[in-house]
Amino acid sequence: MRYHLLPLLAFTTACATTGATFKSGVGDTYFDHPPFYAGAGVASTTSVGYFPIAYQRGTTTPSMFDLRADAGTPMGALLDDMNRYLDSLGVAKRLVVVGGRGTPPDVMFGCRTNGMLPDDCVDRDSLEGAPRGIFNKDVGALRLAVGRPSKDWTTWADSTMAAANVSNALVLTLEVGDYYLQQKGLKGSKQVELGTGYTVSFPWMTSLDTPVNVLQLTGALMDREGKAVRIGAEGMLAKRTSFKVSVLGAQSMVSDEDVAALRTARREDLPGQPLVWQVALRGLVRELTGR
């Protein structure tokens, strides 16, 4: 099992943001509960393409500490599964990726962080119950935002979309984020709201003070000018940190074993018990494209 020592690594973690969020197309949005989506609705008749789903390292820890997605790894296998499934949905046109370059848009979702310590989650208690007003209306605990792509990526993506005769393109990413735990009921049970209609329970001894590492899908529907039209996120797997480990100021991180188990994990609460990751991916695509 891997652990993330929050106080020690916070100073050395590189910022995962690939571009400023100013004028990115969709402003920063804050949530306490799912669904986690922002931006304009999209007509089902809009022509849409999609780039293959990518895996992004270094979103909550330095890249060197994050899981790899090379051939033969559980993350690589999950990514292959997802791209085959996305192809099978048939809701958009697969874009031929030739000579891709530049920095793509970066959809970020997870706990609000301290400005001084970029990867140190803000204490949720400091946000809950805060009065909403004209100056502090954005008090939700979870932040959804998108960083602008680089100019060379925008130019390349525009030509790729033009060649496919589509006006918008899906950019989807498999990555890790940090979510907050919530107390459930009077007995002190804990839960994490991972996404649309999906909540996972945790033992009552789980600490509320330590965020949980979550494997999630994030996505943006981009126009040909490099602006995001709609963005969103769906969590699939939450890694519990034991009470003893949290006392040390550490956080359990998603492991290769967890990813391998996710490939076959099923939503037993839904008819037909579909795969967890398929429900998340299908829901993300539907919310971003209107299809």
Side-chain angles (χ1 to χ4, degrees):
M1 182 179 292
R2 303 184 307 149
Y3 300 107
H4 177 195
L5 298 177
L6 296 173
L8 296 179
L9 291 182
F11 289 103
T12 59
T13 301
C15 180
T17 304
T18 57
T21 62
F22 181 62
K23 292 186 177 181
S24 62
V26 179
D28 295 13
T29 309
Y30 300 86
F31 300 87
D32 283 318
H33 307 285
F36 306 127
Y37 292 93
V42 181
S44 60
T45 55
T46 301
S47 57
V48 177
Y50 64 92
F51 295 104
I53 303 170
Y55 172 58
Q56 180 171 310
R57 301 175 72 197
T59 52
T60 59
T61 65
S63 296
M64 69 179 75
F65 296 107
D66 233 336
L67 297 176
R68 301 189 66 86
D70 305 287
T73 65
M75 194 72 79
L78 177 60
L79 198 60
D80 289 342
D81 291 343
M82 287 183 166
N83 276 304
R84 283 193 294 268
Y85 183 65
L86 181 57
D87 290 343
S88 74
L89 292 178
V91 298
K93 181 183 296 185
R94 186 183 182 101
L95 299 175
V96 178
V97 179
V98 178
R101 60 182 181 274
T103 304
D106 180 18
V107 177
M108 299 159 276
F109 183 70
C111 64
R112 297 182 69 157
T113 56
N114 188 310
M116 296 294 293
L117 304 175
D119 293 307
D120 189 16
C121 291
V122 173
D123 183 359
R124 185 165 189 166
D125 290 341
S126 68
L127 299 171
E128 291 182 343
R132 294 179 183 267
I134 188 170
F135 296 113
N136 65 341
K137 60 182 178 179
D138 297 326
V139 296
L142 298 166
R143 171 179 175 260
L144 175 65
V146 57
R148 295 197 310 266
S150 62
K151 290 183 178 179
D152 50 348
W153 185 90
T154 298
T155 300
W156 167 80
D158 176 47
S159 62
T160 301
M161 284 187 268
N165 195 31
V166 297
S167 59
N168 298 87
L170 281 172
V171 178
L172 306 179
T173 305
L174 177 63
E175 60 184 48
V176 173
D178 284 328
Y179 291 21
Y180 292 104
L181 277 162
Q182 300 169 324
Q183 186 159 315
K184 176 184 177 182
L186 299 177
K187 294 183 179 180
S189 298
K190 310 300 191 304
Q191 66 179 24
V192 178
E193 293 180 302
L194 287 176
T196 308
Y198 191 35
T199 299
V200 175
S201 297
F202 281 76
W204 71 273
M205 277 294 288
T206 307
S207 172
L208 285 173
D209 297 329
T210 305
V212 292
N213 223 211
V214 171
L215 187 61
Q216 63 182 358
L217 280 165
T218 63
L221 183 68
M222 306 296 296
D223 66 19
R224 289 181 53 180
E225 295 180 352
K227 295 289 186 69
V229 177
R230 186 165 175 80
I231 60 176
E234 295 284 348
M236 300 173 289
L237 178 156
K239 180 72 172 185
R240 181 201 173 207
T241 297
S242 69
F243 187 80
K244 291 182 179 180
V245 171
S246 66
V247 168
L248 300 176
Q251 177 193 42
S252 297
M253 299 168 65
V254 172
S255 67
D256 281 326
E257 292 75 19
D258 297 323
V259 177
L262 176 62
R263 291 183 66 199
T264 57
R266 294 188 174 275
R267 288 284 302 270
E268 297 181 358
D269 59 315
L270 295 178
Q273 300 185 355
L275 294 171
V276 169
W277 63 263
Q278 287 186 348
V279 176
L281 177 54
R282 185 169 63 246
L284 183 64
V285 171
R286 180 175 59 247
E287 283 289 338
L288 294 179
T289 66
R291 303 177 182 181

